[in-house]
Amino acid sequence: EMLSGDWSSDVCSSDLLRVALSPTGENGVLVAFDGGPGEDGEPLQGRAALAITALAQRCVRMLGALPGVAVSTRVAADRVGLWFEDRGAGGERVLDVAARCGLELSPDDADLEDAKRVLLTELGPVGSEARMRGWVAAALSPSQPGRVAPAGVAERLDAVRLGDVARALERLRVGARSHVVAFVRESPRRIARRIAPRLASALVGEAFVAERSRGLGNSPHAVAWVGGAP
């Protein structure tokens, strides 16, 4: 929802960057990437979710000495991202941190191991709905299981290595797939002018085109697990 809607005159907008006065009072920066989980097939189901979660862990480590910014992940079938909440650091500082963390940093092995633990916790215990969804996704659509279960299958996360994560981020972090959306308290144009040169060097890359999984088809079982039309 943060990437759509009406943009007022208090906005600086480009293909990659949007900076606006916050309409809700919630201030922060969303760094989002088109594609991800829905593109990952077997045996790397869950790779994109691990990549963005590992990147979040790297950001948390970098932010350890910087109060006023909190980072969390956003994972969906056709988009992943990081939300940097401004808890007092100020819009300009948060945008600078978000651009560096989201677009430049690379996770290491420790970040990946932490990310696996985070996802395992989110997937819940054996028999949970989230874990069952992963196995059903693999059975219904082995070429695109991430469209049904973006977080992957708990028992297969360990197969994802750091090189897999690096390749996933390399594919996602290109200009054609990236969005940096900042909601600030004041001076959106000044803040945008300051950060724009940092984003200008982003590789254009290939845009993401969502494809409906042929494996899902019109199966009523798929519809039930997805929670809507596949």
Side-chain angles (χ1 to χ4, degrees):
E1 291 81 10
M2 290 180 179
L3 296 180
S4 61
D6 294 330
W7 292 86
S8 71
S9 59
D10 296 315
V11 171
C12 181
S13 178
S14 67
D15 290 341
L16 178 58
L17 174 67
R18 291 180 176 179
V19 183
L21 294 177
S22 174
T24 64
E26 184 181 21
N27 300 285
V29 179
L30 177 69
V31 180
F33 308 101
D34 295 335
E39 299 176 284
D40 291 337
E42 297 289 356
L44 295 177
Q45 182 185 0
R47 176 179 64 168
L50 274 174
I52 203 68
T53 307
L55 185 57
Q57 295 301 309
R58 171 52 39 187
C59 294
V60 167
R61 283 188 168 87
M62 192 196 85
L63 292 171
L66 178 66
V69 184
V71 60
S72 57
T73 58
R74 301 288 187 270
V75 178
D78 291 335
R79 180 168 292 163
V80 295
L82 299 172
W83 168 248
F84 296 85
E85 183 182 354
D86 183 358
R87 295 185 177 178
E92 191 167 332
R93 180 60 172 148
V94 175
L95 183 53
D96 184 68
V97 165
R100 181 182 175 192
C101 282
L103 301 174
E104 298 173 9
L105 293 186
S106 297
D108 61 17
D109 283 309
D111 300 320
L112 178 57
E113 291 308 309
D114 285 347
K116 289 179 180 181
R117 284 190 284 271
V118 168
L119 283 184
L120 284 173
T121 299
E122 292 180 358
L123 287 169
V126 175
S128 68
E129 181 179 346
R131 291 207 182 202
M132 290 297 294
R133 179 183 288 265
W135 286 108
V136 170
L140 290 173
S141 181
S143 65
Q144 294 178 307
R147 296 196 62 77
V148 177
V153 177
E155 291 79 4
R156 297 180 183 174
L157 293 180
D158 196 51
V160 180
R161 301 290 184 244
L162 188 62
D164 302 318
V165 164
R167 284 186 287 274
L169 290 175
E170 182 179 0
R171 181 177 63 183
L172 291 168
R173 295 200 292 192
V174 295
R177 288 176 176 244
S178 302
H179 309 271
V180 179
V181 184
F183 296 100
V184 299
R185 295 181 177 88
E186 59 185 6
S187 307
R189 296 182 185 279
R190 177 180 60 79
I191 292 173
R193 283 196 299 269
R194 182 183 182 280
I195 200 68
R198 189 170 196 166
L199 306 179
S201 60
L203 296 174
V204 175
E206 295 184 5
F208 168 70
V209 179
E211 294 183 4
R212 180 175 175 176
S213 171
R214 291 186 298 273
L216 291 179
N218 293 314
S219 163
H221 303 293
V223 172
W225 277 95
V226 172

PDB file of all heavy atoms in Angstrom, residues 46-86:
ATOM      1  N   GLY A  46      12.317 -20.132  -0.466  1.00  0.00           N
ATOM      2  CA  GLY A  46      12.658 -19.400   0.739  1.00  0.00           C
ATOM      3  C   GLY A  46      13.908 -18.550   0.615  1.00  0.00           C
ATOM      4  O   GLY A  46      14.255 -17.800   1.531  1.00  0.00           O
ATOM      5  N   ARG A  47      14.588 -18.642  -0.540  1.00  0.00           N
ATOM      6  CA  ARG A  47      15.849 -17.901  -0.707  1.00  0.00           C
ATOM      7  C   ARG A  47      15.648 -16.395  -0.591  1.00  0.00           C
ATOM      8  O   ARG A  47      16.412 -15.708   0.101  1.00  0.00           O
ATOM      9  CB  ARG A  47      16.471 -18.230  -2.066  1.00  0.00           C
ATOM     10  CG  ARG A  47      17.740 -17.421  -2.353  1.00  0.00           C
ATOM     11  CD  ARG A  47      18.349 -17.761  -3.682  1.00  0.00           C
ATOM     12  NE  ARG A  47      17.476 -17.413  -4.795  1.00  0.00           N
ATOM     13  CZ  ARG A  47      17.874 -17.400  -6.067  1.00  0.00           C
ATOM     14  NH1 ARG A  47      19.126 -17.745  -6.363  1.00  0.00           N
ATOM     15  NH2 ARG A  47      17.037 -17.084  -7.032  1.00  0.00           N
ATOM     16  N   ALA A  48      14.621 -15.847  -1.259  1.00  0.00           N
ATOM     17  CA  ALA A  48      14.413 -14.402  -1.232  1.00  0.00           C
ATOM     18  C   ALA A  48      14.058 -13.917   0.173  1.00  0.00           C
ATOM     19  O   ALA A  48      14.517 -12.863   0.620  1.00  0.00           O
ATOM     20  CB  ALA A  48      13.322 -14.008  -2.223  1.00  0.00           C
ATOM     21  N   ALA A  49      13.214 -14.685   0.878  1.00  0.00           N
ATOM     22  CA  ALA A  49      12.862 -14.318   2.247  1.00  0.00           C
ATOM     23  C   ALA A  49      14.098 -14.344   3.142  1.00  0.00           C
ATOM     24  O   ALA A  49      14.286 -13.459   3.991  1.00  0.00           O
ATOM     25  CB  ALA A  49      11.793 -15.266   2.790  1.00  0.00           C
ATOM     26  N   LEU A  50      14.950 -15.340   2.956  1.00  0.00           N
ATOM     27  CA  LEU A  50      16.189 -15.399   3.724  1.00  0.00           C
ATOM     28  C   LEU A  50      17.106 -14.236   3.359  1.00  0.00           C
ATOM     29  O   LEU A  50      17.768 -13.665   4.235  1.00  0.00           O
ATOM     30  CB  LEU A  50      16.911 -16.723   3.462  1.00  0.00           C
ATOM     31  CG  LEU A  50      16.501 -17.907   4.320  1.00  0.00           C
ATOM     32  CD1 LEU A  50      17.200 -19.180   3.845  1.00  0.00           C
ATOM     33  CD2 LEU A  50      16.824 -17.660   5.794  1.00  0.00           C
ATOM     34  N   ALA A  51      17.142 -13.877   2.090  1.00  0.00           N
ATOM     35  CA  ALA A  51      18.023 -12.793   1.647  1.00  0.00           C
ATOM     36  C   ALA A  51      17.635 -11.476   2.312  1.00  0.00           C
ATOM     37  O   ALA A  51      18.492 -10.756   2.844  1.00  0.00           O
ATOM     38  CB  ALA A  51      17.970 -12.661   0.128  1.00  0.00           C
ATOM     39  N   ILE A  52      16.349 -11.139   2.298  1.00  0.00           N
ATOM     40  CA  ILE A  52      15.926  -9.858   2.872  1.00  0.00           C
ATOM     41  C   ILE A  52      16.032  -9.888   4.396  1.00  0.00           C
ATOM     42  O   ILE A  52      16.344  -8.874   5.036  1.00  0.00           O
ATOM     43  CB  ILE A  52      14.501  -9.492   2.400  1.00  0.00           C
ATOM     44  CG1 ILE A  52      14.281  -7.975   2.501  1.00  0.00           C
ATOM     45  CG2 ILE A  52      13.449 -10.251   3.155  1.00  0.00           C
ATOM     46  CD1 ILE A  52      15.093  -7.164   1.540  1.00  0.00           C
ATOM     47  N   THR A  53      15.815 -11.065   4.998  1.00  0.00           N
ATOM     48  CA  THR A  53      15.934 -11.185   6.449  1.00  0.00           C
ATOM     49  C   THR A  53      17.391 -11.107   6.882  1.00  0.00           C
ATOM     50  O   THR A  53      17.727 -10.485   7.900  1.00  0.00           O
ATOM     51  CB  THR A  53      15.286 -12.490   6.945  1.00  0.00           C
ATOM     52  OG1 THR A  53      13.947 -12.565   6.458  1.00  0.00           O
ATOM     53  CG2 THR A  53      15.263 -12.554   8.460  1.00  0.00           C
ATOM     54  N   ALA A  54      18.277 -11.738   6.108  1.00  0.00           N
ATOM     55  CA  ALA A  54      19.714 -11.649   6.406  1.00  0.00           C
ATOM     56  C   ALA A  54      20.206 -10.215   6.242  1.00  0.00           C
ATOM     57  O   ALA A  54      21.041  -9.736   7.020  1.00  0.00           O
ATOM     58  CB  ALA A  54      20.498 -12.590   5.498  1.00  0.00           C
ATOM     59  N   LEU A  55      19.696  -9.521   5.228  1.00  0.00           N
ATOM     60  CA  LEU A  55      20.070  -8.121   5.040  1.00  0.00           C
ATOM     61  C   LEU A  55      19.593  -7.276   6.224  1.00  0.00           C
ATOM     62  O   LEU A  55      20.304  -6.380   6.689  1.00  0.00           O
ATOM     63  CB  LEU A  55      19.474  -7.595   3.735  1.00  0.00           C
ATOM     64  CG  LEU A  55      19.865  -6.172   3.323  1.00  0.00           C
ATOM     65  CD1 LEU A  55      21.382  -6.025   3.207  1.00  0.00           C
ATOM     66  CD2 LEU A  55      19.189  -5.801   2.003  1.00  0.00           C
ATOM     67  N   ALA A  56      18.403  -7.585   6.726  1.00  0.00           N
ATOM     68  CA  ALA A  56      17.902  -6.885   7.910  1.00  0.00           C
ATOM     69  C   ALA A  56      18.816  -7.121   9.110  1.00  0.00           C
ATOM     70  O   ALA A  56      19.088  -6.197   9.896  1.00  0.00           O
ATOM     71  CB  ALA A  56      16.481  -7.340   8.234  1.00  0.00           C
ATOM     72  N   GLN A  57      19.306  -8.364   9.270  1.00  0.00           N
ATOM     73  CA  GLN A  57      20.220  -8.663  10.367  1.00  0.00           C
ATOM     74  C   GLN A  57      21.517  -7.867  10.230  1.00  0.00           C
ATOM     75  O   GLN A  57      22.059  -7.365  11.233  1.00  0.00           O
ATOM     76  CB  GLN A  57      20.530 -10.157  10.403  1.00  0.00           C
ATOM     77  CG  GLN A  57      19.337 -11.045  10.713  1.00  0.00           C
ATOM     78  CD  GLN A  57      18.701 -10.725  12.043  1.00  0.00           C
ATOM     79  OE1 GLN A  57      19.371 -10.650  13.069  1.00  0.00           O
ATOM     80  NE2 GLN A  57      17.391 -10.525  12.040  1.00  0.00           N
ATOM     81  N   ARG A  58      22.019  -7.727   9.008  1.00  0.00           N
ATOM     82  CA  ARG A  58      23.213  -6.921   8.770  1.00  0.00           C
ATOM     83  C   ARG A  58      22.957  -5.463   9.149  1.00  0.00           C
ATOM     84  O   ARG A  58      23.794  -4.799   9.765  1.00  0.00           O
ATOM     85  CB  ARG A  58      23.617  -7.059   7.299  1.00  0.00           C
ATOM     86  CG  ARG A  58      24.713  -6.137   6.787  1.00  0.00           C
ATOM     87  CD  ARG A  58      25.976  -6.116   7.591  1.00  0.00           C
ATOM     88  NE  ARG A  58      26.405  -7.409   8.107  1.00  0.00           N
ATOM     89  CZ  ARG A  58      27.422  -7.569   8.947  1.00  0.00           C
ATOM     90  NH1 ARG A  58      28.093  -6.513   9.357  1.00  0.00           N
ATOM     91  NH2 ARG A  58      27.757  -8.764   9.383  1.00  0.00           N
ATOM     92  N   CYS A  59      21.760  -4.966   8.789  1.00  0.00           N
ATOM     93  CA  CYS A  59      21.404  -3.583   9.114  1.00  0.00           C
ATOM     94  C   CYS A  59      21.311  -3.389  10.621  1.00  0.00           C
ATOM     95  O   CYS A  59      21.757  -2.370  11.156  1.00  0.00           O
ATOM     96  CB  CYS A  59      20.074  -3.208   8.463  1.00  0.00           C
ATOM     97  SG  CYS A  59      20.119  -3.158   6.657  1.00  0.00           S
ATOM     98  N   VAL A  60      20.722  -4.364  11.320  1.00  0.00           N
ATOM     99  CA  VAL A  60      20.601  -4.276  12.773  1.00  0.00           C
ATOM    100  C   VAL A  60      21.976  -4.177  13.413  1.00  0.00           C
ATOM    101  O   VAL A  60      22.197  -3.389  14.350  1.00  0.00           O
ATOM    102  CB  VAL A  60      19.826  -5.494  13.322  1.00  0.00           C
ATOM    103  CG1 VAL A  60      19.963  -5.581  14.842  1.00  0.00           C
ATOM    104  CG2 VAL A  60      18.359  -5.401  12.925  1.00  0.00           C
ATOM    105  N   ARG A  61      22.916  -4.960  12.898  1.00  0.00           N
ATOM    106  CA  ARG A  61      24.276  -4.886  13.447  1.00  0.00           C
ATOM    107  C   ARG A  61      24.885  -3.516  13.194  1.00  0.00           C
ATOM    108  O   ARG A  61      25.561  -2.947  14.050  1.00  0.00           O
ATOM    109  CB  ARG A  61      25.141  -5.982  12.824  1.00  0.00           C
ATOM    110  CG  ARG A  61      24.880  -7.358  13.392  1.00  0.00           C
ATOM    111  CD  ARG A  61      25.908  -8.377  12.884  1.00  0.00           C
ATOM    112  NE  ARG A  61      25.834  -9.624  13.636  1.00  0.00           N
ATOM    113  CZ  ARG A  61      25.028 -10.636  13.363  1.00  0.00           C
ATOM    114  NH1 ARG A  61      24.208 -10.545  12.328  1.00  0.00           N
ATOM    115  NH2 ARG A  61      25.015 -11.718  14.100  1.00  0.00           N
ATOM    116  N   MET A  62      24.668  -2.968  11.999  1.00  0.00           N
ATOM    117  CA  MET A  62      25.212  -1.654  11.693  1.00  0.00           C
ATOM    118  C   MET A  62      24.581  -0.571  12.560  1.00  0.00           C
ATOM    119  O   MET A  62      25.222   0.397  12.953  1.00  0.00           O
ATOM    120  CB  MET A  62      24.995  -1.318  10.216  1.00  0.00           C
ATOM    121  CG  MET A  62      25.785  -0.101   9.745  1.00  0.00           C
ATOM    122  SD  MET A  62      25.220   0.584   8.172  1.00  0.00           S
ATOM    123  CE  MET A  62      23.895   1.655   8.735  1.00  0.00           C
ATOM    124  N   LEU A  63      23.287  -0.760  12.873  1.00  0.00           N
ATOM    125  CA  LEU A  63      22.545   0.244  13.633  1.00  0.00           C
ATOM    126  C   LEU A  63      22.742   0.094  15.141  1.00  0.00           C
ATOM    127  O   LEU A  63      22.182   0.879  15.903  1.00  0.00           O
ATOM    128  CB  LEU A  63      21.052   0.134  13.315  1.00  0.00           C
ATOM    129  CG  LEU A  63      20.640   0.518  11.894  1.00  0.00           C
ATOM    130  CD1 LEU A  63      19.181   0.146  11.649  1.00  0.00           C
ATOM    131  CD2 LEU A  63      20.856   2.002  11.668  1.00  0.00           C
ATOM    132  N   GLY A  64      23.556  -0.869  15.533  1.00  0.00           N
ATOM    133  CA  GLY A  64      23.722  -1.117  16.959  1.00  0.00           C
ATOM    134  C   GLY A  64      24.123   0.112  17.748  1.00  0.00           C
ATOM    135  O   GLY A  64      23.700   0.304  18.884  1.00  0.00           O
ATOM    136  N   ALA A  65      24.946   0.958  17.129  1.00  0.00           N
ATOM    137  CA  ALA A  65      25.427   2.157  17.820  1.00  0.00           C
ATOM    138  C   ALA A  65      24.622   3.397  17.450  1.00  0.00           C
ATOM    139  O   ALA A  65      24.990   4.502  17.827  1.00  0.00           O
ATOM    140  CB  ALA A  65      26.905   2.382  17.488  1.00  0.00           C
ATOM    141  N   LEU A  66      23.530   3.210  16.702  1.00  0.00           N
ATOM    142  CA  LEU A  66      22.737   4.353  16.257  1.00  0.00           C
ATOM    143  C   LEU A  66      21.325   4.259  16.805  1.00  0.00           C
ATOM    144  O   LEU A  66      20.493   3.518  16.275  1.00  0.00           O
ATOM    145  CB  LEU A  66      22.693   4.409  14.723  1.00  0.00           C
ATOM    146  CG  LEU A  66      21.847   5.534  14.125  1.00  0.00           C
ATOM    147  CD1 LEU A  66      22.472   6.889  14.446  1.00  0.00           C
ATOM    148  CD2 LEU A  66      21.720   5.368  12.611  1.00  0.00           C
ATOM    149  N   PRO A  67      21.018   4.990  17.872  1.00  0.00           N
ATOM    150  CA  PRO A  67      19.650   4.975  18.388  1.00  0.00           C
ATOM    151  C   PRO A  67      18.728   5.772  17.475  1.00  0.00           C
ATOM    152  O   PRO A  67      19.166   6.614  16.685  1.00  0.00           O
ATOM    153  CB  PRO A  67      19.787   5.659  19.755  1.00  0.00           C
ATOM    154  CG  PRO A  67      20.959   6.587  19.591  1.00  0.00           C
ATOM    155  CD  PRO A  67      21.906   5.876  18.656  1.00  0.00           C
ATOM    156  N   GLY A  68      17.444   5.488  17.570  1.00  0.00           N
ATOM    157  CA  GLY A  68      16.481   6.281  16.824  1.00  0.00           C
ATOM    158  C   GLY A  68      16.018   5.681  15.525  1.00  0.00           C
ATOM    159  O   GLY A  68      15.198   6.269  14.822  1.00  0.00           O
ATOM    160  N   VAL A  69      16.521   4.473  15.148  1.00  0.00           N
ATOM    161  CA  VAL A  69      16.083   3.799  13.920  1.00  0.00           C
ATOM    162  C   VAL A  69      15.832   2.330  14.239  1.00  0.00           C
ATOM    163  O   VAL A  69      16.658   1.681  14.878  1.00  0.00           O
ATOM    164  CB  VAL A  69      17.136   3.896  12.792  1.00  0.00           C
ATOM    165  CG1 VAL A  69      16.594   3.260  11.510  1.00  0.00           C
ATOM    166  CG2 VAL A  69      17.550   5.329  12.540  1.00  0.00           C
ATOM    167  N   ALA A  70      14.687   1.816  13.793  1.00  0.00           N
ATOM    168  CA  ALA A  70      14.369   0.395  13.964  1.00  0.00           C
ATOM    169  C   ALA A  70      14.067  -0.193  12.594  1.00  0.00           C
ATOM    170  O   ALA A  70      13.412   0.442  11.762  1.00  0.00           O
ATOM    171  CB  ALA A  70      13.174   0.214  14.888  1.00  0.00           C
ATOM    172  N   VAL A  71      14.546  -1.398  12.334  1.00  0.00           N
ATOM    173  CA  VAL A  71      14.370  -2.020  11.022  1.00  0.00           C
ATOM    174  C   VAL A  71      13.558  -3.304  11.150  1.00  0.00           C
ATOM    175  O   VAL A  71      13.714  -4.060  12.099  1.00  0.00           O
ATOM    176  CB  VAL A  71      15.732  -2.315  10.348  1.00  0.00           C
ATOM    177  CG1 VAL A  71      16.563  -3.267  11.191  1.00  0.00           C
ATOM    178  CG2 VAL A  71      15.547  -2.873   8.942  1.00  0.00           C
ATOM    179  N   SER A  72      12.662  -3.523  10.185  1.00  0.00           N
ATOM    180  CA  SER A  72      11.869  -4.750  10.120  1.00  0.00           C
ATOM    181  C   SER A  72      11.701  -5.143   8.661  1.00  0.00           C
ATOM    182  O   SER A  72      11.955  -4.336   7.755  1.00  0.00           O
ATOM    183  CB  SER A  72      10.499  -4.552  10.784  1.00  0.00           C
ATOM    184  OG  SER A  72       9.803  -3.474  10.186  1.00  0.00           O
ATOM    185  N   THR A  73      11.288  -6.390   8.428  1.00  0.00           N
ATOM    186  CA  THR A  73      11.172  -6.897   7.058  1.00  0.00           C
ATOM    187  C   THR A  73       9.725  -6.897   6.591  1.00  0.00           C
ATOM    188  O   THR A  73       8.793  -6.935   7.392  1.00  0.00           O
ATOM    189  CB  THR A  73      11.724  -8.331   6.957  1.00  0.00           C
ATOM    190  OG1 THR A  73      11.010  -9.166   7.864  1.00  0.00           O
ATOM    191  CG2 THR A  73      13.211  -8.362   7.287  1.00  0.00           C
ATOM    192  N   ARG A  74       9.567  -6.881   5.266  1.00  0.00           N
ATOM    193  CA  ARG A  74       8.275  -7.047   4.608  1.00  0.00           C
ATOM    194  C   ARG A  74       8.475  -8.118   3.539  1.00  0.00           C
ATOM    195  O   ARG A  74       9.335  -7.963   2.668  1.00  0.00           O
ATOM    196  CB  ARG A  74       7.798  -5.741   3.957  1.00  0.00           C
ATOM    197  CG  ARG A  74       7.648  -4.571   4.932  1.00  0.00           C
ATOM    198  CD  ARG A  74       6.455  -4.764   5.843  1.00  0.00           C
ATOM    199  NE  ARG A  74       6.196  -3.599   6.676  1.00  0.00           N
ATOM    200  CZ  ARG A  74       6.714  -3.401   7.882  1.00  0.00           C
ATOM    201  NH1 ARG A  74       7.545  -4.303   8.384  1.00  0.00           N
ATOM    202  NH2 ARG A  74       6.424  -2.329   8.584  1.00  0.00           N
ATOM    203  N   VAL A  75       7.689  -9.187   3.592  1.00  0.00           N
ATOM    204  CA  VAL A  75       7.844 -10.295   2.653  1.00  0.00           C
ATOM    205  C   VAL A  75       6.495 -10.668   2.076  1.00  0.00           C
ATOM    206  O   VAL A  75       5.557 -11.001   2.810  1.00  0.00           O
ATOM    207  CB  VAL A  75       8.482 -11.530   3.327  1.00  0.00           C
ATOM    208  CG1 VAL A  75       8.577 -12.686   2.329  1.00  0.00           C
ATOM    209  CG2 VAL A  75       9.868 -11.191   3.873  1.00  0.00           C
ATOM    210  N   ALA A  76       6.376 -10.602   0.754  1.00  0.00           N
ATOM    211  CA  ALA A  76       5.185 -11.047   0.041  1.00  0.00           C
ATOM    212  C   ALA A  76       5.636 -11.799  -1.195  1.00  0.00           C
ATOM    213  O   ALA A  76       6.823 -11.832  -1.528  1.00  0.00           O
ATOM    214  CB  ALA A  76       4.304  -9.854  -0.335  1.00  0.00           C
ATOM    215  N   ALA A  77       4.701 -12.421  -1.898  1.00  0.00           N
ATOM    216  CA  ALA A  77       5.063 -13.261  -3.048  1.00  0.00           C
ATOM    217  C   ALA A  77       5.822 -12.479  -4.115  1.00  0.00           C
ATOM    218  O   ALA A  77       6.784 -12.976  -4.689  1.00  0.00           O
ATOM    219  CB  ALA A  77       3.803 -13.885  -3.644  1.00  0.00           C
ATOM    220  N   ASP A  78       5.392 -11.243  -4.389  1.00  0.00           N
ATOM    221  CA  ASP A  78       5.974 -10.482  -5.495  1.00  0.00           C
ATOM    222  C   ASP A  78       6.709  -9.228  -5.042  1.00  0.00           C
ATOM    223  O   ASP A  78       6.990  -8.339  -5.852  1.00  0.00           O
ATOM    224  CB  ASP A  78       4.882 -10.087  -6.501  1.00  0.00           C
ATOM    225  CG  ASP A  78       4.344 -11.290  -7.258  1.00  0.00           C
ATOM    226  OD1 ASP A  78       5.077 -12.284  -7.388  1.00  0.00           O
ATOM    227  OD2 ASP A  78       3.187 -11.240  -7.716  1.00  0.00           O
ATOM    228  N   ARG A  79       7.020  -9.136  -3.752  1.00  0.00           N
ATOM    229  CA  ARG A  79       7.772  -7.969  -3.269  1.00  0.00           C
ATOM    230  C   ARG A  79       8.343  -8.266  -1.892  1.00  0.00           C
ATOM    231  O   ARG A  79       7.682  -8.855  -1.048  1.00  0.00           O
ATOM    232  CB  ARG A  79       6.885  -6.737  -3.214  1.00  0.00           C
ATOM    233  CG  ARG A  79       7.608  -5.472  -2.718  1.00  0.00           C
ATOM    234  CD  ARG A  79       6.775  -4.236  -2.970  1.00  0.00           C
ATOM    235  NE  ARG A  79       6.664  -3.977  -4.399  1.00  0.00           N
ATOM    236  CZ  ARG A  79       5.750  -3.176  -4.934  1.00  0.00           C
ATOM    237  NH1 ARG A  79       4.856  -2.580  -4.169  1.00  0.00           N
ATOM    238  NH2 ARG A  79       5.715  -2.975  -6.246  1.00  0.00           N
ATOM    239  N   VAL A  80       9.588  -7.851  -1.701  1.00  0.00           N
ATOM    240  CA  VAL A  80      10.217  -7.918  -0.387  1.00  0.00           C
ATOM    241  C   VAL A  80      10.791  -6.549  -0.065  1.00  0.00           C
ATOM    242  O   VAL A  80      11.021  -5.735  -0.961  1.00  0.00           O
ATOM    243  CB  VAL A  80      11.338  -8.984  -0.325  1.00  0.00           C
ATOM    244  CG1 VAL A  80      10.765 -10.388  -0.506  1.00  0.00           C
ATOM    245  CG2 VAL A  80      12.407  -8.707  -1.386  1.00  0.00           C
ATOM    246  N   GLY A  81      11.002  -6.281   1.210  1.00  0.00           N
ATOM    247  CA  GLY A  81      11.547  -4.986   1.548  1.00  0.00           C
ATOM    248  C   GLY A  81      11.917  -4.848   3.003  1.00  0.00           C
ATOM    249  O   GLY A  81      11.702  -5.754   3.822  1.00  0.00           O
ATOM    250  N   LEU A  82      12.477  -3.686   3.312  1.00  0.00           N
ATOM    251  CA  LEU A  82      12.867  -3.334   4.665  1.00  0.00           C
ATOM    252  C   LEU A  82      12.189  -2.018   5.036  1.00  0.00           C
ATOM    253  O   LEU A  82      12.171  -1.073   4.240  1.00  0.00           O
ATOM    254  CB  LEU A  82      14.390  -3.162   4.765  1.00  0.00           C
ATOM    255  CG  LEU A  82      15.246  -4.388   4.435  1.00  0.00           C
ATOM    256  CD1 LEU A  82      16.719  -3.989   4.395  1.00  0.00           C
ATOM    257  CD2 LEU A  82      15.030  -5.485   5.461  1.00  0.00           C
ATOM    258  N   TRP A  83      11.636  -1.962   6.240  1.00  0.00           N
ATOM    259  CA  TRP A  83      11.017  -0.741   6.752  1.00  0.00           C
ATOM    260  C   TRP A  83      11.911  -0.188   7.861  1.00  0.00           C
ATOM    261  O   TRP A  83      12.198  -0.872   8.846  1.00  0.00           O
ATOM    262  CB  TRP A  83       9.618  -1.024   7.283  1.00  0.00           C
ATOM    263  CG  TRP A  83       9.013   0.098   8.072  1.00  0.00           C
ATOM    264  CD1 TRP A  83       8.738   0.097   9.407  1.00  0.00           C
ATOM    265  CD2 TRP A  83       8.584   1.375   7.570  1.00  0.00           C
ATOM    266  NE1 TRP A  83       8.172   1.293   9.768  1.00  0.00           N
ATOM    267  CE2 TRP A  83       8.071   2.102   8.673  1.00  0.00           C
ATOM    268  CE3 TRP A  83       8.588   1.963   6.308  1.00  0.00           C
ATOM    269  CZ2 TRP A  83       7.566   3.391   8.542  1.00  0.00           C
ATOM    270  CZ3 TRP A  83       8.085   3.252   6.165  1.00  0.00           C
ATOM    271  CH2 TRP A  83       7.585   3.951   7.273  1.00  0.00           C
ATOM    272  N   PHE A  84      12.384   1.038   7.672  1.00  0.00           N
ATOM    273  CA  PHE A  84      13.226   1.716   8.647  1.00  0.00           C
ATOM    274  C   PHE A  84      12.367   2.757   9.355  1.00  0.00           C
ATOM    275  O   PHE A  84      12.046   3.805   8.785  1.00  0.00           O
ATOM    276  CB  PHE A  84      14.422   2.369   7.958  1.00  0.00           C
ATOM    277  CG  PHE A  84      15.351   1.393   7.303  1.00  0.00           C
ATOM    278  CD1 PHE A  84      15.090   0.929   6.009  1.00  0.00           C
ATOM    279  CD2 PHE A  84      16.481   0.924   7.946  1.00  0.00           C
ATOM    280  CE1 PHE A  84      15.938   0.026   5.385  1.00  0.00           C
ATOM    281  CE2 PHE A  84      17.331   0.016   7.340  1.00  0.00           C
ATOM    282  CZ  PHE A  84      17.056  -0.439   6.053  1.00  0.00           C
ATOM    283  N   GLU A  85      11.986   2.473  10.581  1.00  0.00           N
ATOM    284  CA  GLU A  85      11.120   3.370  11.327  1.00  0.00           C
ATOM    285  C   GLU A  85      11.945   4.463  12.010  1.00  0.00           C
ATOM    286  O   GLU A  85      12.946   4.181  12.679  1.00  0.00           O
ATOM    287  CB  GLU A  85      10.338   2.602  12.380  1.00  0.00           C
ATOM    288  CG  GLU A  85       9.363   3.467  13.160  1.00  0.00           C
ATOM    289  CD  GLU A  85       8.624   2.698  14.232  1.00  0.00           C
ATOM    290  OE1 GLU A  85       8.792   1.461  14.297  1.00  0.00           O
ATOM    291  OE2 GLU A  85       7.883   3.335  14.995  1.00  0.00           O
ATOM    292  N   ASP A  86      11.506   5.689  11.816  1.00  0.00           N
ATOM    293  CA  ASP A  86      12.167   6.829  12.453  1.00  0.00           C
ATOM    294  C   ASP A  86      11.669   6.954  13.892  1.00  0.00           C
ATOM    295  O   ASP A  86      10.527   7.326  14.133  1.00  0.00           O
ATOM    296  CB  ASP A  86      11.865   8.109  11.661  1.00  0.00           C
ATOM    297  CG  ASP A  86      12.582   9.327  12.231  1.00  0.00           C
ATOM    298  OD1 ASP A  86      13.276   9.196  13.256  1.00  0.00           O
ATOM    299  OD2 ASP A  86      12.441  10.414  11.636  1.00  0.00           O
TER     300      ASP A  86
END
